[in-house]
Amino acid sequence: MTKVGVLLSGCGVNDGAEIQETVITMLALDRAGVEMVLMAPNIDQMHVINHYTGQEMNEFRNVLVESSRIARGNIKDIVEVSGNDVDALIIPGGFGVTKNLCDYAMAGPECSINPDVYRLVTEVHLLQKPIGAICIAPAMMAKILSEQDESAKMTIGSDKTTASDIKAMGSTHVLCSVSEMIVDKEKKMVSTPAYMEALSIKEAAEGIEKLVAKVLEMV
């Protein structure tokens, strides 16, 4: 059975993985009859946001523990997973990608990547297995590829600042509507804007479902 890794960054759009993007991804994978390998790094979140008020909270949470909420407990510490364990990898968005998996939210193009995240993504890429990057995740992918003197075509939709940062990191940003995706066949990378552009869950779902289908087609 095909195994697809899903890399989570917490639970909640403002400080973790975007829940709706993650669930749409999981539903599409489940409907396709593939096995999901949900994973997250066992590290503290950068900070905790009250999603009701939007204010930072004076508490600490763990990325793996919070991600397990979405996974219903069926999740692995990323250190337990190698590129040989999955046939593809999909990274949902959410600010957790840019705060917990890397520090792009603070450092921009000069960001650094969590070592375990860098290792796994690099292993999957070097094994020439497809990677799907949703919402803001392409910004992290651009940095990871730049560390290997590589680049890819990708999209985060139409946000000029992030598009400029992707270009600064050496990759090519392509404008894309929420219902579509950008495919780099050579690099085996697929990206879609999702909530970088979406105004509703059905809009986010359209592009994500296409991305999942394309990633599975490339396996």
Side-chain angles (χ1 to χ4, degrees):
M1 179 183 287
T2 299
K3 292 185 178 182
V4 178
V6 181
L7 175 54
L8 303 184
S9 57
C11 181
V13 59
N14 293 319
D15 57 12
E18 213 296 323
I19 296 170
Q20 294 177 1
E21 291 177 359
T22 304
V23 173
I24 292 165
T25 299
M26 293 169 65
L27 179 60
L29 289 169
D30 192 40
R31 282 178 169 163
V34 305
E35 181 179 342
M36 285 174 276
V37 181
L38 302 172
M39 69 191 83
N42 187 7
I43 58 174
D44 286 337
Q45 293 183 185
M46 189 197 85
H47 61 190
V48 179
I49 299 294
N50 180 324
H51 281 65
Y52 179 61
T53 65
Q55 301 300 308
E56 186 172 347
M57 300 172 68
N58 186 26
E59 63 178 79
F60 297 94
R61 296 190 187 182
N62 178 280
V63 174
L64 178 60
V65 172
E66 291 301 297
S67 297
S68 70
R69 294 175 179 269
I70 305 176
R72 294 173 60 88
N74 184 18
I75 195 166
K76 292 181 178 291
D77 184 334
I78 194 172
V79 299
E80 303 172 16
V81 184
S82 79
N84 292 314
D85 296 328
V86 296
D87 299 301
L89 180 67
I90 297 178
I91 311 169
F95 280 111
V97 174
T98 62
K99 294 177 179 179
N100 302 327
L101 304 187
C102 70
D103 60 359
Y104 172 76
M106 293 71 73
E110 302 303 317
C111 64
S112 58
I113 311 294
N114 172 276
D116 292 313
V117 171
Y118 181 84
R119 172 196 57 80
L120 179 68
V121 173
T122 300
E123 288 174 355
V124 173
H125 176 64
L126 291 177
L127 289 167
Q128 298 185 322
K129 297 177 178 181
I131 297 175
I134 299 169
C135 193
I136 193 64
M140 182 178 76
M141 284 301 307
K143 183 63 177 182
I144 292 173
L145 290 171
S146 74
E147 294 292 320
Q148 303 167 46
D149 293 321
E150 290 194 57
S151 62
K153 293 188 297 183
M154 61 185 69
T155 190
I156 46 76
S158 61
D159 181 75
K160 291 182 179 180
T161 299
T162 311
S164 177
D165 287 345
I166 286 172
K167 182 178 179 180
M169 290 185 279
S171 283
T172 301
H173 182 265
V174 183
L175 291 173
C176 181
S177 68
V178 66
S179 62
E180 298 300 326
M181 61 183 171
I182 297 300
V183 181
D184 189 317
K185 292 182 180 179
E186 181 185 352
K187 302 297 183 181
K188 288 197 170 182
M189 182 172 162
V190 188
S191 53
T192 191
Y195 273 112
M196 290 293 289
E197 299 285 339
L199 300 177
S200 68
I201 189 170
K202 67 181 180 182
E203 287 190 0
E206 192 170 355
I208 292 171
E209 288 167 354
K210 289 178 181 177
L211 176 144
V212 171
K214 178 57 70 172
V215 166
L216 294 178
E217 179 186 309
M218 299 172 83
V219 168

